[in-house]
């Protein structure tokens, strides 16, 4: 028995294929995860000119155009001055919702380009939303 197990020609311990991995907000086997498709009407918004101290808010409208419920896991802003609010409930296929992005302009004079990366059960896992404009 030991000779059969130790024989390298039989490949008892060799894997034929590594499982495909999904490296999004969580890491899972892609064949065990339900992916869907998110459609955004826009991913960039120019807020124009605002006064320093104002808080800019824009609603990015989205639709689940896939066959599975859409789950938004988290969002990460390019700095502490920008954040996104979104539902933690599943967005059913065909349903629409919004992601509200807030930008605090205190101490941020001049031309601004700020981003929020939103992670969901989509492929690719990350979508970037951008706010641009000028703070006076």
């Amino acid at each position: 028995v030991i000779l059969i197990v130790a024989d390298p020609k039989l490949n008892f311990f060799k894997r034929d294929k590594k499982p495909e991995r999904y490296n999004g907000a969580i890491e899972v086997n892609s064949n065990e995860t339900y992916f869907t498709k998110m459609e955004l009407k826009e991913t960039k918004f120019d807020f124009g000119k605002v006064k320093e101290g104002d808080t800019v808010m824009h609603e990015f409208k989205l639709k689940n155009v896939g066959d599975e419920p859409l789950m938004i896991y988290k969002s990460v802003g390019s700095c502490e001055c920008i954040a996104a609010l979104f539902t933690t409930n599943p967005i059913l296929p065909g349903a629409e919702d919004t992601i509200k992005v807030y930008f605090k302009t205190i101490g941020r004079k001049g031309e601004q380009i700020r981003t929020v990366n939103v992670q969901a059960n989509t492929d690719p896992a990350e979508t970037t939303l951008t706010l641009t404009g000028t703070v006076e």
Side-chain angles (χ1 to χ4, degrees):
V1 175
I2 294 173
L3 294 175
I4 294 173
V5 173
D7 187 356
K9 294 177 188 174
L10 297 176
N11 294 324
F12 279 109
F13 299 108
K14 184 178 177 183
R15 287 186 157 174
D16 292 338
K17 182 179 172 185
K18 289 184 179 180
E20 291 185 30
R21 301 295 291 177
Y22 168 77
N23 296 313
I26 57 174
E27 187 175 311
V28 295
N29 287 330
S30 60
N31 60 349
E32 296 173 1
T33 304
Y34 298 103
F35 292 99
T36 193
K37 295 177 184 171
M38 175 172 58
E39 182 178 274
L40 288 149
K41 296 192 187 249
E42 61 183 339
T43 57
K44 295 179 182 177
F45 176 72
D46 185 346
F47 57 81
K49 293 182 181 182
V50 296
K51 292 182 181 178
E52 181 186 5
D54 290 348
T55 298
V56 176
M57 189 279 291
H58 182 70
E59 289 186 0
F60 289 91
K61 296 181 181 182
L62 66 90
K63 183 175 183 178
N64 181 353
V65 294
D67 298 326
E68 301 294 336
L70 172 65
M71 295 293 298
I72 301 174
Y73 299 115
K74 72 176 189 175
S75 65
V76 179
S78 57
C79 71
E80 71 282 350
C81 62
I82 191 165
L85 292 178
F86 51 86
T87 184
T88 56
N89 296 324
I91 302 166
L92 298 177
E96 296 182 3
D97 210 320
T98 59
I99 299 173
K100 294 180 182 179
V101 177
Y102 293 88
F103 170 52
K104 293 182 182 179
T105 63
I106 296 173
R108 310 280 179 196
K109 284 191 174 186
E111 294 290 320
Q112 301 294 315
I113 301 173
R114 302 295 172 180
T115 61
V116 173
N117 292 326
V118 177
Q119 296 182 354
N121 63 327
T122 55
D123 191 17
E126 201 165 76
T127 302
T128 301
L129 305 176
T130 305
L131 293 182
T132 61
T134 303
V135 178
E136 299 179 329

